[in-house]
Amino acid sequence: MQKVHFKTNPTNQSEEYAQLIDVILVVLNRVSVELTFESQRNQSLSEDQFRVSIRLIHSACVLGTMLPDLIKEQSIRLPHALPITRMFYERLLSAAYVLSDGGPAAKQAIHYAVYSVFKNQKKLFSAGGYQEVIPGRLKISRESKEVTEALDYFKNAKSIREFNHDRQGRCKVIGNVSKRAKIHFQSVEQAGYSLSSEIVHGSYLSTVLYSDQARDGTPEKGLHETTTWIMIALVFSSEALGHLLRSLCPSLPSPPLLIDAGKTFMKFEVPEAADLINRAYGES
């Protein structure tokens, strides 16, 4: 099979973006470890809240490791970063939501995970007119306590889903604990066509933006715009989590570093407003 070659367009800016992502991921990983220890002494949040939020933050970190190379090389592969960034953002949003709602969301998320595994122990595989039931390797008994509780929990539910609130609803719940966290998450949601819609329709963007009839000028312009949108989603959602954790667990050392990363990104993007940005963050 002939090798496929593609042109890369790395710049000093894309290199610095990639380095910033690496730093944020390191800090987020530290946050998940700090929350593990915090769960042993914090009486304000439930064990379920810690368990679910730590899982979501760790999952976001794993997803995020795929972004630096895509950002750095500035190639036709960049649109693949859009759905990855969307998943990264939604995991941090959900982690913040779970930590903010008092406990019910974490409980439902755990029941949903057990329910999904139990209901999907067997899958129907179909191809070319051939059908076969594929049993899952992990057998979970209906009689187990966890499965019984999950089935009872969703017994009369109109719809079975991980969380009751949509993304906007989660932002409102988060705002009850930290207005700054809510504002930063909403900034990702309200970026309009340039961000939220582009992330949701990442596969469509990659088709249009890099086709023979590229939208809005050259692919290079598209690369720069796409990179900016990705960085806004990643940095703002990480900073939002930092603001929330600073309110909930003020003794943790790493959340303020996520806020500092957001401030650094803003000054990098708008250097002429550095003094204004410093004052704004100094008032936080």
Side-chain angles (χ1 to χ4, degrees), residues 165-221:
H165 291 90
D166 59 13
R167 295 196 309 274
Q168 290 291 351
R170 289 176 225 173
C171 287
K172 292 180 180 178
V173 172
I174 292 166
N176 295 330
V177 178
S178 170
K179 291 183 179 180
R180 283 185 174 270
K182 173 186 175 182
I183 290 171
H184 279 76
F185 280 127
Q186 286 184 330
S187 295
V188 178
E189 289 290 336
Q190 295 174 356
Y193 182 79
S194 297
L195 178 60
S196 57
S197 181
E198 295 285 17
I199 290 176
V200 171
H201 302 291
S203 59
Y204 173 76
L205 171 68
S206 63
T207 301
V208 175
L209 189 60
Y210 302 103
S211 68
D212 293 336
Q213 297 177 337
R215 192 199 67 189
D216 292 337
T218 65
E220 286 75 14
K221 179 182 178 182

Side-chain angles (χ1 to χ4, degrees), residues 11-275:
T11 63
N12 291 335
Q13 185 183 53
S14 67
E15 174 70 27
E16 291 175 341
Y17 280 155
Q19 291 177 6
L20 180 58
I21 294 174
D22 282 330
V23 171
I24 289 175
L25 294 178
V26 169
V27 176
L28 282 172
N29 189 58
R30 287 172 53 183
V31 166
S32 68
V33 174
E34 290 169 6
L35 284 173
T36 301
F37 288 105
E38 180 71 11
S39 67
Q40 300 171 10
R41 58 177 179 267
N42 189 304
Q43 301 299 317
S44 300
L45 301 172
S46 70
E47 181 181 351
D48 287 347
Q49 285 177 285
F50 281 111
R51 287 170 58 194
V52 175
S53 62
I54 290 169
R55 172 179 61 83
L56 288 166
I57 294 170
H58 180 70
S59 177
C61 289
V62 173
L63 286 166
T65 58
M66 294 183 277
L67 294 174
D69 286 342
L70 295 173
I71 294 291
K72 185 189 304 181
E73 70 184 21
Q74 292 291 286
S75 74
I76 198 172
R77 297 201 307 159
L78 182 62
H80 296 306
L82 288 167
I84 295 172
T85 305
R86 176 193 177 192
M87 291 186 286
F88 176 93
Y89 157 68
E90 289 186 349
R91 278 159 175 74
L92 291 191
L93 174 68
S94 296
Y97 165 65
V98 164
L99 290 168
S100 301
D101 88 318
K107 182 179 180 180
Q108 179 168 327
I110 293 173
H111 285 324
Y112 178 82
V114 175
Y115 183 92
S116 299
V117 171
F118 176 77
K119 286 295 186 180
N120 294 319
Q121 291 186 88
K122 293 184 178 181
K123 289 286 190 180
L124 179 64
F125 173 79
S126 177
Y130 174 79
Q131 293 186 336
E132 180 68 40
V133 174
I134 309 297
R137 293 183 179 179
L138 180 63
K139 297 294 184 181
I140 302 179
S141 172
R142 176 182 285 270
E143 304 303 322
S144 68
K145 177 184 176 182
E146 292 80 7
V147 172
T148 300
E149 290 179 352
L151 293 176
D152 288 343
Y153 185 88
F154 290 111
K155 184 177 181 180
N156 298 316
K158 293 182 179 180
S159 62
I160 299 172
R161 50 188 177 179
E162 187 174 18
F163 300 118
N164 286 330
H165 291 90
D166 59 13
R167 295 196 309 274
Q168 290 291 351
R170 289 176 225 173
C171 287
K172 292 180 180 178
V173 172
I174 292 166
N176 295 330
V177 178
S178 170
K179 291 183 179 180
R180 283 185 174 270
K182 173 186 175 182
I183 290 171
H184 279 76
F185 280 127
Q186 286 184 330
S187 295
V188 178
E189 289 290 336
Q190 295 174 356
Y193 182 79
S194 297
L195 178 60
S196 57
S197 181
E198 295 285 17
I199 290 176
V200 171
H201 302 291
S203 59
Y204 173 76
L205 171 68
S206 63
T207 301
V208 175
L209 189 60
Y210 302 103
S211 68
D212 293 336
Q213 297 177 337
R215 192 199 67 189
D216 292 337
T218 65
E220 286 75 14
K221 179 182 178 182
L223 290 170
H224 175 73
E225 291 178 350
T226 304
T227 300
T228 301
W229 301 333
I230 291 168
M231 291 301 299
I232 289 173
L234 187 141
V235 175
F236 280 19
S237 57
S238 300
E239 183 180 350
L241 182 65
H243 284 294
L244 179 79
L245 289 175
R246 191 170 68 173
S247 297
L248 289 173
C249 308
S251 63
L252 297 185
S254 293
L257 300 179
L258 296 174
I259 299 173
D260 289 341
K263 180 172 69 174
T264 299
F265 174 72
M266 289 296 295
K267 290 196 289 186
F268 181 81
E269 288 295 302
V270 194
E272 64 274 15
D275 291 339

